[in-house]
Structure formats: structure tokens, C-alpha cells
């Protein structure tokens, strides 16, 4: 029983790592070019990994964007497109832009606040 | 005699008249009640405006009960939410660091270095002593890597439950899972394979 538990815990950690690796579009391109997405067993495994969407598992994810990638990977069309490096590059760019969205918004808010404070002090 | 008879007859006539009048009044009363009953029974077949609003109120109440049940099922403690928010924010996983500029190796996904540093990477490369390049630790020790590229083991956060287990599964992923693969190709936009630089502001 202990050996089973240890094995299962190890599998948990490995699957946790692997599912988050799917957030990396370059890694997806790597997998696509090596034909993993054409392997039926691998596609079934991707479907199995959808359990990470459940709250009791999702709370361990540091990179939650991987879940969106996992959902897209359920579509054959998406898997086929990932063979193209330009497709992966496009996804990468969009991900980075989205990632920067909140920090940009915060910077704009800080700038607006600083300008407002400047105006207030100049009025006084 | 006749007068007496007449008088007596008149008395009888008046009492008869009175009785008739009383009977007529009773009849009128009964007829009125009967008409009212008939009118009520006929009106009950048509929906009243009040009944429609009752049906709407019942429907809305049922919908509200459904959403209450749904909310109760998805209840999460605030402590867990805060813990998770800290995990994804402190590591810049979902929000870029304010000092990020193009050229910064940090990404919103595990980088090549992080992937190799993890358990998966260690399992595949048990002896990576600088074969394909430097071990992250070596480079750090040599002072060639900034702290941000120090080997981080994101999978081994301190609060990770070591008792967590994955769901049971058949070892054979060749078996067709229940529920077909998603082949809703109409829902997936075809990505342009042309190189389209989209570095515009996402706002």
C-alpha cells in the first residue's frame, strides 16, 4: 500500500509538472514536430489531464494558463496548427502581451495618480 | 255575512298576499345568489392577472434556489483563495513584473530551464553534469546567472500537500475514452500561418 501511495504521489507531481509545461507554446511546438499529437494514446492522455480543471487539483497550479492550453489541445485542428513555428510564436506573443496587461494598467494608474498629485500641489 | 265573509276573505287575501310577497322576495334572493354562483364558476375558468404573477414568482424562486445550491457546492474558503492568489502573483506567473522589458527571460510559463530543473527533467537526465551546457546551480555559483535564473523548483512549493493523489486511470491510454474527442472544428479559428507581428497594445 505504501509503495502504491508513493508511486501515486510521484505520479501526481509528474503530472503537475507536465500539465504546466503545456503553458509553454515552444514546448507545444516541440511536441507537435515530434509527432506526439498524432499518437492516439497521447491524445487520450491529454483528455485524461483535464482533471486538473477541478478546484481540488487546480489550486496546485502555479501557471493556470496551462489549463486554457489544455482545453485548446483537445481540438485536432489546434494540435495540427502547432507544427508551425509561426503559430507557436504568435501564441507566445499574445501570451506575453496578456501577461503584461495588468502591470501596464497598474503603471497607468500610478502615472495618473502622480499627475493628479502634481496638479494638486501646483494649485496649492 | 258577506261583509264578514268579505272582511274575513279580505284578511285571508291579505295574508295570502303577504305570503306571496314574502315568497317572491325569497325567490328573488335565491335567484340572485344562484346568478352569483354561476358567475363565479364561469370566471374561474379564465386566468386572473394575479395568477400570472404568482407563476412568475414561483419560477424566479426556483431559479434562485438552483443558484443557491450551485453556490453552496462551489464554496471555497477565503484562506485558500488568498493562498492561491499569493502563489500565482508572487512568482509573476499571471502578471508581468513591473521591471520587465523585452530581453528579460522571465515568462508566464515554465521556461526551458525550469522544466529541466523539475522532477520530469531530473528523471529524464539523471546525470546532467554540464553535458549540454551548464547546470543552473553551477552557473549561479560561477556568478554568471542572475538570481532570477537561479534554479527554482516551482513544483515544490512549501504548502504543497504531499498526500495529494491523481485520479485513478487505466494505464492503457490506447483505449477510446468515453465521450468522443472534440472535433468541433467550426469552433476553432484557423490561425494564420503568415508571420503577423502583433505587438500592438492589447488594450
Amino acid at each position: 500500500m505504501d509503495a502504491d501511495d508513493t508511486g501515486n504521489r510521484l505520479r501526481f507531481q509528474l503530472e503537475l509538472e507536465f500539465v504546466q509545461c503545456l503553458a509553454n507554446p515552444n514546448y507545444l511546438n516541440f511536441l507537435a514536430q515530434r509527432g506526439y499529437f498524432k499518437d492516439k494514446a497521447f491524445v487520450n492522455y491529454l483528455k485524461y489531464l483535464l482533471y486538473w480543471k477541478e478546484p481540488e487539483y487546480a489550486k496546485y497550479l502555479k501557471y493556470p494558463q496551462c489549463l486554457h492550453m489544455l482545453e485548446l489541445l483537445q481540438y485536432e485542428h489546434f494540435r495540427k496548427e502547432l507544427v508551425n513555428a509561426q503559430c507557436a510564436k504568435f501564441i507566445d506573443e499574445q501570451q506575453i502581451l496578456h501577461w503584461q496587461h495588468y502591470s501596464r494598467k497598474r503603471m497607468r494608474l500610478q502615472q495618473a495618480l502622480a499627475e493628479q498629485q502634481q496638479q494638486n500641489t501646483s494649485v496649492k | 255575512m258577506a261583509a264578514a265573509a268579505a272582511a274575513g276573505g279580505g284578511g285571508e287575501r291579505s295574508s295570502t298576499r303577504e305570503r306571496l310577497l314574502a315568497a317572491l322576495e325569497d325567490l328573488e334572493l335565491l335567484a340572485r345568489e344562484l346568478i352569483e354562483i354561476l358567475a363565479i364558476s364561469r370566471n374561474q375558468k379564465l386566468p386572473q392577472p394575479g395568477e400570472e404573477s404568482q407563476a412568475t414568482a414561483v419560477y424566479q424562486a426556483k431559479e434562485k434556489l438552483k443558484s443557491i445550491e450551485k453556490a453552496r457546492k462551489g464554496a471555497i474558503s477565503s484562506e485558500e483563495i488568498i493562498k492561491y492568489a499569493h502563489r500565482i502573483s508572487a512568482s509573476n506567473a499571471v502578471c508581468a513584473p513591473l521591471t520587465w522589458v523585452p530581453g528579460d527571460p522571465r515568462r508566464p510559463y515554465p521556461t526551458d530551464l525550469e522544466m529541466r530543473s523539475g522532477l520530469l527533467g531530473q528523471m529524464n537526465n539523471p546525470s546532467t553534469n554540464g553535458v549540454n551546457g551548464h547546470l543552473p546551480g553551477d552557473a549561479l555559483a560561477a556568478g554568471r546567472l542572475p538570481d532570477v535564473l537561479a534554479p527554482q523548483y516551482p513544483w515544490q512549493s512549501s504548502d504543497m500537500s504531499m498526500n495529494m493523489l491523481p485520479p485513478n486511470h487505466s494505464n492503457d491510454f490506447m483505449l477510446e475514452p468515453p465521450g468522443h474527442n472534440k472535433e468541433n472544428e467550426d469552433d476553432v479559428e484557423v490561425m494564420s500561418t503568415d508571420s503577423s507581428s502583433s505587438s500592438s497594445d492589447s488594450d
Side-chain angles (χ1 to χ4, degrees):
Chain A
M1 284 297 271
D2 284 341
D4 280 346
D5 270 355
T6 312
N8 282 331
R9 271 186 232 129
L10 184 66
R11 183 157 70 86
F12 173 80
Q13 275 187 265
L14 291 173
E15 289 180 1
L16 173 62
E17 285 192 21
F18 181 73
V19 78
Q20 294 186 92
C21 288
L22 298 178
N24 185 335
N26 302 309
Y27 183 59
L28 295 180
N29 179 237
F30 169 89
L31 290 173
Q33 288 186 344
R34 276 149 189 80
Y36 283 97
F37 293 151
K38 291 181 186 161
D39 180 7
K40 189 79 182 142
F42 191 81
V43 171
N44 290 344
Y45 183 67
L46 290 175
K47 183 162 179 152
Y48 155 75
L49 285 176
L50 285 169
Y51 76 84
W52 284 101
K53 287 171 68 175
E54 300 297 316
E56 57 265 29
Y57 291 102
K59 66 184 180 185
Y60 295 106
L61 295 173
K62 187 178 157 195
Y63 299 105
Q65 304 90 328
C66 68
L67 291 180
H68 181 61
M69 292 303 199
L70 183 63
E71 281 176 357
L72 290 174
L73 282 168
Q74 306 303 314
Y75 294 90
E76 190 185 346
H77 211 142
F78 182 73
R79 295 193 296 268
K80 280 184 182 163
E81 284 291 321
L82 278 169
V83 173
N84 299 317
Q86 284 165 346
C87 172
K89 185 167 175 286
F90 172 77
I91 297 172
D92 191 22
E93 283 173 0
Q94 291 300 307
Q95 264 183 297
I96 291 172
L97 282 171
H98 182 267
W99 186 50
Q100 291 175 321
H101 172 71
Y102 287 112
S103 49
R104 278 213 204 114
K105 192 172 171 182
R106 202 176 298 155
M107 266 165 38
R108 275 200 300 272
L109 280 171
Q110 281 175 349
Q111 267 173 3
L113 194 64
E115 278 169 19
Q116 200 177 21
Q117 281 174 349
Q118 212 173 18
Q119 277 176 4
N120 288 343
T121 50
S122 64
V123 163
K124 284 177 190 170
Chain B
M1 187 77 163
E12 282 177 9
R13 261 205 304 275
S14 66
S15 71
T16 308
R17 188 166 169 264
E18 277 169 17
R19 277 192 291 165
L20 270 173
L21 278 172
L24 271 172
E25 276 175 15
D26 289 342
L27 196 63
E28 197 182 334
L29 201 64
L30 281 170
R32 205 176 288 155
E33 282 180 13
L34 196 64
I35 287 167
E36 276 177 21
I37 289 168
L38 278 171
I40 286 168
S41 67
R42 195 176 296 152
N43 285 340
Q44 270 177 354
K45 286 177 192 171
L46 299 171
Q48 299 282 353
E51 289 180 4
E52 277 179 17
S53 63
Q54 276 180 18
T56 313
V58 165
Y59 173 75
Q60 284 177 352
K62 281 184 183 166
E63 291 296 306
K64 200 145 260 188
L65 280 172
K66 276 187 212 167
S67 63
I68 288 170
E69 190 55 42
K70 198 174 168 184
R72 206 183 312 145
K73 276 185 198 164
I76 303 173
S77 77
S78 55
E79 199 182 307
E80 277 211 37
I81 291 177
I82 291 168
K83 218 190 283 186
Y84 189 69
H86 177 74
R87 170 178 292 164
I88 61 177
S89 327
S91 53
N92 295 311
V94 293
C95 182
L98 293 173
T99 54
W100 196 90
V101 287
D104 191 320
R106 287 175 289 186
R107 290 290 184 273
Y109 45 73
T111 57
D112 200 43
L113 208 63
E114 286 178 16
M115 278 162 41
R116 288 184 203 282
S117 311
L119 203 58
L120 270 175
Q122 298 299 324
M123 278 180 68
N124 285 332
N125 299 313
S127 57
T128 48
N129 288 323
V131 174
N132 288 327
H134 309 286
L135 260 184
D138 293 338
L140 181 62
R144 286 198 295 271
L145 272 181
D147 283 343
V148 69
L149 291 176
Q152 290 162 17
Y153 299 83
W155 337 109
Q156 295 162 10
S157 54
S158 56
D159 60 347
M160 180 151 68
S161 165
M162 295 306 290
N163 291 322
M164 201 62 200
L165 301 175
N168 290 326
H169 73 104
S170 153
N171 282 324
D172 184 3
F173 284 100
M174 283 304 294
L175 294 172
E176 188 69 35
H180 224 27
N181 282 333
K182 283 191 185 176
E183 295 298 336
N184 303 327
E185 302 209 355
D186 294 337
D187 298 342
V188 179
E189 243 181 77
V190 176
M191 253 183 246
S192 166
T193 51
D194 295 332
S195 128
S196 55
S197 172
S198 49
S199 335
S200 56
D201 196 326
S202 61
D203 297 307

